[in-house]
Amino acid sequence: DIQMTQSPSSVSASVGDRVTITCRATEDVSIWLAWYQQKPGKAPKLLIYAVSSLQSGVPSRFSGSGSGTEFTLTIDSLQPEDFATYYCHQAKTFPRTFGQGTKVEIK
Amino acid sequence: EVQLVESGGGLEQPGGSLRLSCAASGFTFFTYEMNWVRQAPGRGLEWISHISSSGRTIQYADSVRGRFTISRDNARDSLFLQLDSLKTEDTAVYYCARLSGSGRHIDYWGQGTLVTVSS
């Protein structure tokens, strides 16, 4: 199975900050890497797919990059509505797997 | 508008069974692959099952294989998950999720249904 490890597990940041979350896979996942945002009590929401493609309707302050086994989600100029938990997800092979999540908290 | 509405969750005893349903609307259901993903209280997301658009290809996580059964009724735009031999560790919110037509990622999620396994 491909294991996905996110770092950090949590980050405290202020409105306007740039936040970077890293996701590492134990095997090459090619382009099959997506990022999701989840707020308490809500379903996850797709932000980025195919490593760096922005889902329709998602603000351009979100961006994704990386290749092979190391990927990054960047949030430029953090907004109040961005405080949430973020998950990476590999869809290259079964079983599909998610990172453990990164909680972005208000400093 | 794409909508996925789960139902069927509730409280069940260990060893019991439940059947979850997901009603899909706003898209041509029979052309999309579907997944179930769960989230235990205070924990992260866990993928548990996949079904192809035709229903012929099915995959499971090791944690549920042999106990859970995914199925779909394309005539009724519905996805199902039969949960048998329930364990306390199956307690979670269960999400129905659609896979993008152009890729393998999940692009839409239902609101989830809570399954609680407890004596």
Side-chain angles (χ1 to χ4, degrees), chain A residues 27-82:
Chain A
E27 298 175 28
D28 186 341
V29 299
S30 185
I31 66 166
W32 307 110
L33 191 286
W35 290 95
Y36 298 89
Q37 176 194 67
Q38 187 180 34
K39 297 181 179 180
K42 300 294 186 182
K45 171 188 171 183
L46 175 65
L47 299 176
I48 302 285
Y49 63 94
V51 178
S52 59
S53 295
L54 192 68
Q55 174 69 352
S56 176
V58 173
S60 59
R61 62 181 179 273
F62 292 93
S63 63
S65 64
S67 64
T69 61
E70 187 158 336
F71 304 90
T72 299
L73 173 70
T74 300
I75 312 171
D76 283 319
S77 189
L78 198 68
Q79 297 300 299
E81 60 267 31
D82 301 337

Short mmCIF file of all heavy atoms in Angstrom, two decimals, chain A residues 27-82:
data_model
loop_
_atom_site.label_atom_id
_atom_site.label_comp_id
_atom_site.label_asym_id
_atom_site.label_seq_id
_atom_site.Cartn_x
_atom_site.Cartn_y
_atom_site.Cartn_z
N GLU A 27 5.66 5.69 -2.53
CA GLU A 27 5.93 5.28 -3.90
C GLU A 27 5.54 6.42 -4.84
O GLU A 27 4.74 7.29 -4.47
CB GLU A 27 5.12 4.04 -4.29
CG GLU A 27 5.39 2.80 -3.49
CD GLU A 27 4.45 1.67 -3.89
OE1 GLU A 27 3.98 1.63 -5.06
OE2 GLU A 27 4.16 0.81 -3.03
N ASP A 28 6.07 6.38 -6.05
CA ASP A 28 5.70 7.36 -7.07
C ASP A 28 4.20 7.27 -7.36
O ASP A 28 3.70 6.20 -7.70
CB ASP A 28 6.50 7.07 -8.33
CG ASP A 28 6.32 8.11 -9.42
OD1 ASP A 28 5.33 8.86 -9.38
OD2 ASP A 28 7.17 8.16 -10.32
N VAL A 29 3.48 8.39 -7.22
CA VAL A 29 2.04 8.41 -7.50
C VAL A 29 1.73 9.13 -8.80
O VAL A 29 0.57 9.40 -9.11
CB VAL A 29 1.23 9.01 -6.34
CG1 VAL A 29 1.44 8.20 -5.06
CG2 VAL A 29 1.58 10.47 -6.12
N SER A 30 2.79 9.45 -9.57
CA SER A 30 2.61 10.11 -10.86
C SER A 30 1.80 11.40 -10.69
O SER A 30 2.13 12.21 -9.84
CB SER A 30 1.95 9.13 -11.83
OG SER A 30 1.86 9.68 -13.13
N ILE A 31 0.74 11.57 -11.48
CA ILE A 31 -0.05 12.80 -11.39
C ILE A 31 -1.26 12.64 -10.49
O ILE A 31 -2.05 13.56 -10.30
CB ILE A 31 -0.54 13.24 -12.78
CG1 ILE A 31 -1.52 12.21 -13.33
CG2 ILE A 31 0.62 13.49 -13.72
CD1 ILE A 31 -2.31 12.71 -14.53
N TRP A 32 -1.42 11.44 -9.88
CA TRP A 32 -2.66 11.11 -9.19
C TRP A 32 -2.65 11.54 -7.73
O TRP A 32 -2.78 10.75 -6.80
CB TRP A 32 -2.95 9.61 -9.32
CG TRP A 32 -2.93 9.16 -10.74
CD1 TRP A 32 -2.00 8.36 -11.34
CD2 TRP A 32 -3.86 9.54 -11.77
NE1 TRP A 32 -2.31 8.20 -12.67
CE2 TRP A 32 -3.44 8.91 -12.97
CE3 TRP A 32 -5.00 10.35 -11.81
CZ2 TRP A 32 -4.12 9.06 -14.18
CZ3 TRP A 32 -5.69 10.49 -13.00
CH2 TRP A 32 -5.24 9.85 -14.16
N LEU A 33 -2.51 12.86 -7.55
CA LEU A 33 -2.44 13.44 -6.22
C LEU A 33 -3.43 14.60 -6.14
O LEU A 33 -3.42 15.49 -6.99
CB LEU A 33 -1.01 13.92 -5.93
CG LEU A 33 -0.59 14.33 -4.51
CD1 LEU A 33 -1.15 15.68 -4.09
CD2 LEU A 33 -0.97 13.28 -3.48
N ALA A 34 -4.28 14.56 -5.13
CA ALA A 34 -5.28 15.60 -4.93
C ALA A 34 -5.20 16.14 -3.51
O ALA A 34 -4.67 15.47 -2.61
CB ALA A 34 -6.68 15.05 -5.21
N TRP A 35 -5.73 17.34 -3.33
CA TRP A 35 -5.80 17.98 -2.01
C TRP A 35 -7.25 18.34 -1.69
O TRP A 35 -7.97 18.83 -2.56
CB TRP A 35 -4.96 19.25 -1.99
CG TRP A 35 -3.48 19.04 -2.05
CD1 TRP A 35 -2.69 19.05 -3.16
CD2 TRP A 35 -2.61 18.81 -0.94
NE1 TRP A 35 -1.37 18.82 -2.82
CE2 TRP A 35 -1.30 18.68 -1.46
CE3 TRP A 35 -2.79 18.68 0.44
CZ2 TRP A 35 -0.18 18.44 -0.65
CZ3 TRP A 35 -1.69 18.45 1.25
CH2 TRP A 35 -0.40 18.33 0.70
N TYR A 36 -7.63 18.12 -0.44
CA TYR A 36 -8.97 18.43 0.03
C TYR A 36 -8.91 19.30 1.27
O TYR A 36 -7.98 19.19 2.08
CB TYR A 36 -9.75 17.14 0.36
CG TYR A 36 -9.93 16.26 -0.84
CD1 TYR A 36 -8.98 15.30 -1.17
CD2 TYR A 36 -11.04 16.41 -1.67
CE1 TYR A 36 -9.12 14.51 -2.30
CE2 TYR A 36 -11.19 15.63 -2.80
CZ TYR A 36 -10.23 14.68 -3.11
OH TYR A 36 -10.37 13.91 -4.23
N GLN A 37 -9.93 20.14 1.41
CA GLN A 37 -10.11 20.97 2.61
C GLN A 37 -11.35 20.47 3.34
O GLN A 37 -12.37 20.20 2.72
CB GLN A 37 -10.34 22.43 2.19
CG GLN A 37 -10.64 23.38 3.33
CD GLN A 37 -11.17 24.72 2.79
OE1 GLN A 37 -12.26 24.80 2.23
NE2 GLN A 37 -10.39 25.77 2.96
N GLN A 38 -11.24 20.35 4.65
CA GLN A 38 -12.39 19.95 5.44
C GLN A 38 -12.56 20.86 6.65
O GLN A 38 -11.61 21.06 7.41
CB GLN A 38 -12.29 18.49 5.90
CG GLN A 38 -13.56 18.00 6.58
CD GLN A 38 -13.48 16.56 7.03
OE1 GLN A 38 -12.42 16.09 7.44
NE2 GLN A 38 -14.59 15.83 6.96
N LYS A 39 -13.77 21.37 6.81
CA LYS A 39 -14.11 22.17 7.98
C LYS A 39 -14.92 21.31 8.93
O LYS A 39 -15.57 20.36 8.52
CB LYS A 39 -14.87 23.42 7.54
CG LYS A 39 -13.99 24.33 6.67
CD LYS A 39 -14.71 25.59 6.25
CE LYS A 39 -13.77 26.45 5.40
NZ LYS A 39 -14.42 27.71 4.95
N PRO A 40 -14.90 21.65 10.23
CA PRO A 40 -15.58 20.81 11.23
C PRO A 40 -17.04 20.55 10.90
O PRO A 40 -17.79 21.48 10.58
CB PRO A 40 -15.42 21.63 12.52
CG PRO A 40 -14.18 22.41 12.31
CD PRO A 40 -14.17 22.76 10.85
N GLY A 41 -17.42 19.29 10.94
CA GLY A 41 -18.80 18.91 10.70
C GLY A 41 -19.23 18.92 9.25
O GLY A 41 -20.42 18.70 8.96
N LYS A 42 -18.29 19.15 8.35
CA LYS A 42 -18.61 19.24 6.93
C LYS A 42 -17.87 18.17 6.13
O LYS A 42 -16.87 17.62 6.59
CB LYS A 42 -18.22 20.61 6.37
CG LYS A 42 -18.94 21.77 7.05
CD LYS A 42 -20.42 21.75 6.79
CE LYS A 42 -21.10 23.00 7.34
NZ LYS A 42 -22.58 22.97 7.12
N ALA A 43 -18.37 17.91 4.93
CA ALA A 43 -17.69 16.98 4.03
C ALA A 43 -16.43 17.65 3.47
O ALA A 43 -16.36 18.88 3.38
CB ALA A 43 -18.62 16.58 2.89
N PRO A 44 -15.45 16.86 3.08
CA PRO A 44 -14.28 17.44 2.41
C PRO A 44 -14.67 18.12 1.11
O PRO A 44 -15.70 17.80 0.50
CB PRO A 44 -13.38 16.21 2.15
CG PRO A 44 -13.84 15.19 3.13
CD PRO A 44 -15.31 15.42 3.28
N LYS A 45 -13.81 19.04 0.69
CA LYS A 45 -14.03 19.79 -0.56
C LYS A 45 -12.75 19.70 -1.38
O LYS A 45 -11.65 19.90 -0.86
CB LYS A 45 -14.33 21.25 -0.23
CG LYS A 45 -14.38 22.19 -1.41
CD LYS A 45 -14.49 23.64 -0.95
CE LYS A 45 -14.32 24.62 -2.09
NZ LYS A 45 -14.35 26.03 -1.63
N LEU A 46 -12.90 19.39 -2.66
CA LEU A 46 -11.75 19.28 -3.55
C LEU A 46 -11.16 20.65 -3.83
O LEU A 46 -11.87 21.57 -4.22
CB LEU A 46 -12.18 18.62 -4.87
CG LEU A 46 -11.12 18.53 -5.97
CD1 LEU A 46 -9.96 17.61 -5.54
CD2 LEU A 46 -11.74 18.03 -7.27
N LEU A 47 -9.84 20.77 -3.64
CA LEU A 47 -9.14 22.02 -3.96
C LEU A 47 -8.28 21.87 -5.22
O LEU A 47 -8.35 22.69 -6.12
CB LEU A 47 -8.21 22.41 -2.80
CG LEU A 47 -8.81 22.69 -1.44
CD1 LEU A 47 -7.70 22.96 -0.44
CD2 LEU A 47 -9.79 23.86 -1.50
N ILE A 48 -7.45 20.85 -5.23
CA ILE A 48 -6.44 20.64 -6.26
C ILE A 48 -6.50 19.19 -6.71
O ILE A 48 -6.62 18.28 -5.87
CB ILE A 48 -5.02 20.93 -5.72
CG1 ILE A 48 -4.89 22.35 -5.19
CG2 ILE A 48 -3.95 20.61 -6.78
CD1 ILE A 48 -4.79 23.42 -6.24
N TYR A 49 -6.40 18.94 -8.01
CA TYR A 49 -6.31 17.58 -8.52
C TYR A 49 -5.18 17.50 -9.53
O TYR A 49 -4.69 18.52 -10.02
CB TYR A 49 -7.63 17.12 -9.14
CG TYR A 49 -8.06 17.93 -10.35
CD1 TYR A 49 -7.75 17.52 -11.64
CD2 TYR A 49 -8.79 19.11 -10.20
CE1 TYR A 49 -8.13 18.26 -12.73
CE2 TYR A 49 -9.18 19.85 -11.29
CZ TYR A 49 -8.85 19.42 -12.55
OH TYR A 49 -9.25 20.16 -13.65
N ALA A 50 -4.75 16.28 -9.83
CA ALA A 50 -3.64 16.07 -10.76
C ALA A 50 -2.45 16.95 -10.39
O ALA A 50 -1.85 17.61 -11.24
CB ALA A 50 -4.08 16.32 -12.20
N VAL A 51 -2.11 16.95 -9.12
CA VAL A 51 -0.96 17.65 -8.52
C VAL A 51 -1.15 19.16 -8.45
O VAL A 51 -0.94 19.76 -7.38
CB VAL A 51 0.36 17.33 -9.25
CG1 VAL A 51 1.54 18.11 -8.64
CG2 VAL A 51 0.65 15.84 -9.25
N SER A 52 -1.55 19.78 -9.58
CA SER A 52 -1.50 21.24 -9.62
C SER A 52 -2.70 21.90 -10.29
O SER A 52 -2.71 23.12 -10.48
CB SER A 52 -0.22 21.70 -10.34
OG SER A 52 -0.21 21.18 -11.67
N SER A 53 -3.72 21.13 -10.67
CA SER A 53 -4.88 21.71 -11.32
C SER A 53 -5.88 22.21 -10.29
O SER A 53 -6.28 21.46 -9.39
CB SER A 53 -5.55 20.67 -12.22
OG SER A 53 -4.69 20.31 -13.29
N LEU A 54 -6.27 23.45 -10.42
CA LEU A 54 -7.17 24.08 -9.47
C LEU A 54 -8.62 23.72 -9.82
O LEU A 54 -9.06 23.93 -10.96
CB LEU A 54 -6.98 25.60 -9.51
CG LEU A 54 -7.62 26.44 -8.42
CD1 LEU A 54 -6.95 26.17 -7.07
CD2 LEU A 54 -7.53 27.92 -8.78
N GLN A 55 -9.35 23.18 -8.86
CA GLN A 55 -10.75 22.85 -9.08
C GLN A 55 -11.54 24.14 -9.34
O GLN A 55 -11.27 25.18 -8.73
CB GLN A 55 -11.31 22.11 -7.87
CG GLN A 55 -12.80 21.83 -7.90
CD GLN A 55 -13.23 20.81 -8.95
OE1 GLN A 55 -12.43 20.39 -9.79
NE2 GLN A 55 -14.49 20.40 -8.89
N SER A 56 -12.52 24.04 -10.22
CA SER A 56 -13.36 25.18 -10.54
C SER A 56 -13.96 25.79 -9.29
O SER A 56 -14.48 25.07 -8.42
CB SER A 56 -14.46 24.74 -11.49
OG SER A 56 -15.34 25.81 -11.75
N GLY A 57 -13.87 27.12 -9.18
CA GLY A 57 -14.46 27.81 -8.04
C GLY A 57 -13.55 27.98 -6.85
O GLY A 57 -13.89 28.70 -5.90
N VAL A 58 -12.40 27.34 -6.88
CA VAL A 58 -11.45 27.44 -5.76
C VAL A 58 -10.57 28.68 -5.98
O VAL A 58 -10.05 28.89 -7.08
CB VAL A 58 -10.59 26.17 -5.66
CG1 VAL A 58 -9.49 26.33 -4.60
CG2 VAL A 58 -11.48 24.97 -5.33
N PRO A 59 -10.40 29.48 -4.94
CA PRO A 59 -9.60 30.71 -5.10
C PRO A 59 -8.17 30.43 -5.55
O PRO A 59 -7.57 29.42 -5.18
CB PRO A 59 -9.63 31.32 -3.70
CG PRO A 59 -10.84 30.77 -3.05
CD PRO A 59 -10.99 29.38 -3.60
N SER A 60 -7.63 31.35 -6.32
CA SER A 60 -6.30 31.16 -6.90
C SER A 60 -5.17 31.28 -5.87
O SER A 60 -4.01 31.02 -6.20
CB SER A 60 -6.07 32.17 -8.02
OG SER A 60 -6.19 33.49 -7.52
N ARG A 61 -5.49 31.63 -4.62
CA ARG A 61 -4.45 31.64 -3.60
C ARG A 61 -4.03 30.22 -3.21
O ARG A 61 -3.01 30.02 -2.56
CB ARG A 61 -4.91 32.40 -2.34
CG ARG A 61 -6.10 31.83 -1.62
CD ARG A 61 -6.46 32.68 -0.41
NE ARG A 61 -7.62 32.16 0.31
CZ ARG A 61 -8.87 32.47 -0.01
NH1 ARG A 61 -9.10 33.32 -1.01
NH2 ARG A 61 -9.89 31.96 0.68
N PHE A 62 -4.81 29.23 -3.63
CA PHE A 62 -4.44 27.83 -3.43
C PHE A 62 -3.66 27.34 -4.64
O PHE A 62 -4.08 27.56 -5.79
CB PHE A 62 -5.67 26.95 -3.23
CG PHE A 62 -6.40 27.19 -1.95
CD1 PHE A 62 -7.46 28.09 -1.89
CD2 PHE A 62 -6.04 26.53 -0.78
CE1 PHE A 62 -8.15 28.32 -0.71
CE2 PHE A 62 -6.72 26.74 0.40
CZ PHE A 62 -7.76 27.65 0.44
N SER A 63 -2.55 26.67 -4.40
CA SER A 63 -1.80 26.08 -5.50
C SER A 63 -1.13 24.80 -5.05
O SER A 63 -0.85 24.62 -3.85
CB SER A 63 -0.75 27.06 -6.03
OG SER A 63 0.21 27.36 -5.03
N GLY A 64 -0.89 23.92 -6.01
CA GLY A 64 -0.24 22.65 -5.72
C GLY A 64 0.95 22.45 -6.64
O GLY A 64 0.97 22.94 -7.77
N SER A 65 1.93 21.73 -6.13
CA SER A 65 3.11 21.44 -6.93
C SER A 65 3.72 20.13 -6.46
O SER A 65 3.29 19.55 -5.45
CB SER A 65 4.13 22.58 -6.81
OG SER A 65 4.60 22.69 -5.47
N GLY A 66 4.74 19.71 -7.20
CA GLY A 66 5.45 18.50 -6.81
C GLY A 66 5.46 17.46 -7.90
O GLY A 66 4.90 17.65 -8.99
N SER A 67 6.11 16.35 -7.61
CA SER A 67 6.17 15.24 -8.54
C SER A 67 6.68 14.00 -7.82
O SER A 67 7.33 14.12 -6.77
CB SER A 67 7.09 15.56 -9.72
OG SER A 67 8.42 15.74 -9.28
N GLY A 68 6.37 12.87 -8.40
CA GLY A 68 6.88 11.60 -7.88
C GLY A 68 6.34 11.26 -6.51
O GLY A 68 5.24 10.69 -6.40
N THR A 69 7.11 11.58 -5.48
CA THR A 69 6.72 11.22 -4.12
C THR A 69 6.59 12.41 -3.19
O THR A 69 6.23 12.23 -2.02
CB THR A 69 7.73 10.24 -3.50
OG1 THR A 69 9.02 10.89 -3.44
CG2 THR A 69 7.85 8.95 -4.32
N GLU A 70 6.88 13.60 -3.65
CA GLU A 70 6.81 14.77 -2.77
C GLU A 70 5.98 15.87 -3.40
O GLU A 70 6.23 16.29 -4.53
CB GLU A 70 8.21 15.29 -2.43
CG GLU A 70 8.20 16.39 -1.40
CD GLU A 70 9.51 16.55 -0.68
OE1 GLU A 70 10.30 15.58 -0.61
OE2 GLU A 70 9.77 17.66 -0.18
N PHE A 71 5.01 16.34 -2.62
CA PHE A 71 4.04 17.30 -3.12
C PHE A 71 3.80 18.39 -2.09
O PHE A 71 4.01 18.17 -0.87
CB PHE A 71 2.71 16.59 -3.45
CG PHE A 71 2.89 15.47 -4.42
CD1 PHE A 71 3.14 14.18 -3.98
CD2 PHE A 71 2.85 15.70 -5.79
CE1 PHE A 71 3.34 13.14 -4.87
CE2 PHE A 71 3.04 14.67 -6.69
CZ PHE A 71 3.30 13.39 -6.23
N THR A 72 3.35 19.53 -2.57
CA THR A 72 3.13 20.68 -1.71
C THR A 72 1.83 21.37 -2.04
O THR A 72 1.49 21.55 -3.21
CB THR A 72 4.29 21.69 -1.86
OG1 THR A 72 5.52 21.06 -1.49
CG2 THR A 72 4.08 22.91 -0.98
N LEU A 73 1.11 21.74 -0.98
CA LEU A 73 -0.05 22.63 -1.11
C LEU A 73 0.36 23.96 -0.49
O LEU A 73 0.84 23.99 0.66
CB LEU A 73 -1.25 22.06 -0.36
CG LEU A 73 -2.49 22.98 -0.29
CD1 LEU A 73 -3.13 23.13 -1.67
CD2 LEU A 73 -3.50 22.45 0.72
N THR A 74 0.18 25.03 -1.24
CA THR A 74 0.50 26.36 -0.75
C THR A 74 -0.75 27.21 -0.72
O THR A 74 -1.52 27.22 -1.68
CB THR A 74 1.58 27.03 -1.62
OG1 THR A 74 2.77 26.23 -1.60
CG2 THR A 74 1.91 28.42 -1.11
N ILE A 75 -0.93 27.91 0.38
CA ILE A 75 -2.01 28.88 0.49
C ILE A 75 -1.35 30.25 0.63
O ILE A 75 -0.65 30.52 1.62
CB ILE A 75 -2.91 28.63 1.70
CG1 ILE A 75 -3.33 27.15 1.80
CG2 ILE A 75 -4.16 29.52 1.64
CD1 ILE A 75 -4.05 26.78 3.08
N ASP A 76 -1.52 31.07 -0.39
CA ASP A 76 -0.97 32.43 -0.34
C ASP A 76 -1.97 33.35 0.33
O ASP A 76 -3.15 33.27 0.05
CB ASP A 76 -0.68 32.94 -1.75
CG ASP A 76 0.59 32.35 -2.33
OD1 ASP A 76 1.58 32.23 -1.57
OD2 ASP A 76 0.59 31.99 -3.51
N SER A 77 -1.49 34.23 1.20
CA SER A 77 -2.35 35.20 1.86
C SER A 77 -3.57 34.54 2.49
O SER A 77 -4.72 34.70 2.03
CB SER A 77 -2.79 36.28 0.87
OG SER A 77 -3.44 37.34 1.54
N LEU A 78 -3.32 33.81 3.55
CA LEU A 78 -4.34 33.05 4.26
C LEU A 78 -5.53 33.93 4.64
O LEU A 78 -5.35 35.06 5.14
CB LEU A 78 -3.72 32.44 5.51
CG LEU A 78 -4.43 31.30 6.21
CD1 LEU A 78 -4.41 30.04 5.34
CD2 LEU A 78 -3.77 31.03 7.56
N GLN A 79 -6.73 33.43 4.36
CA GLN A 79 -7.96 34.15 4.68
C GLN A 79 -8.68 33.48 5.85
O GLN A 79 -8.46 32.29 6.12
CB GLN A 79 -8.85 34.20 3.45
CG GLN A 79 -8.26 34.97 2.30
CD GLN A 79 -7.96 36.41 2.65
OE1 GLN A 79 -8.85 37.18 3.01
NE2 GLN A 79 -6.69 36.80 2.56
N PRO A 80 -9.57 34.20 6.53
CA PRO A 80 -10.26 33.61 7.70
C PRO A 80 -10.98 32.31 7.37
O PRO A 80 -11.02 31.40 8.20
CB PRO A 80 -11.25 34.71 8.09
CG PRO A 80 -10.62 35.98 7.63
CD PRO A 80 -9.90 35.61 6.35
N GLU A 81 -11.53 32.20 6.16
CA GLU A 81 -12.26 30.98 5.79
C GLU A 81 -11.36 29.80 5.47
O GLU A 81 -11.85 28.70 5.20
CB GLU A 81 -13.18 31.28 4.59
CG GLU A 81 -12.48 31.76 3.34
CD GLU A 81 -12.40 33.27 3.23
OE1 GLU A 81 -12.32 33.95 4.28
OE2 GLU A 81 -12.39 33.77 2.08
N ASP A 82 -10.03 30.01 5.46
CA ASP A 82 -9.10 28.93 5.14
C ASP A 82 -8.69 28.11 6.35
O ASP A 82 -7.98 27.10 6.21
CB ASP A 82 -7.83 29.50 4.47
CG ASP A 82 -8.13 30.26 3.21
OD1 ASP A 82 -9.19 30.00 2.58
OD2 ASP A 82 -7.31 31.12 2.83
#
